[in-house]
Amino acid sequence: MADHPRPRRGQGELEALVLSALGEADGPATAGWVQERLGGGLAYTTVITILTRLLDKGAVTRERAGRSFAWTPAADQAGLAARKMRKVLDAESDREAVLASFVTGLDPDDERLLRDLLGHADAPGDGSGGGSGAGSRGEGED
């Protein structure tokens, strides 16, 4: 029987793998280092393409390192997930409906966690500088 090619991985999965590898680096890492870290199963050009897409999304930064670039994650996995959530929310015209639907779909533990996080974000003197918490706008502002 002939060898079957491995199933193709989704773009999001590859991006997560590359970000994970970058997160394990002691500092900025080259595409070659990322490729090695991932076991060499990806072509160098594929790693470059993924890093460039991540750069376009604001998920990584890069700096010149000789004739190539060294790459650094701009955020951890949680930060990247939060960025995706904001992007989806920003694309919708009825933010209130989207947020309400999101919150009502949470399991009780996640809803409690979200309420706790929002409560901490609104606490006076928390040093957060306001931020995007639910209470960051003044009363009656829309």
Side-chain angles (χ1 to χ4, degrees), residues 34-58:
V34 171
Q35 181 190 25
E36 254 181 54
R37 186 72 179 183
L38 296 176
L42 294 177
Y44 180 82
T45 54
T46 301
V47 174
I48 290 290
T49 299
I50 294 165
L51 287 165
T52 303
R53 287 180 179 163
L54 289 168
L55 179 68
D56 291 344
K57 294 178 180 183

Side-chain angles (χ1 to χ4, degrees), residues 15-35:
E15 289 177 355
L17 288 171
V18 168
L19 277 174
S20 178
L22 281 177
E24 295 171 6
D26 292 332
T30 64
W33 183 91
V34 171
Q35 181 190 25

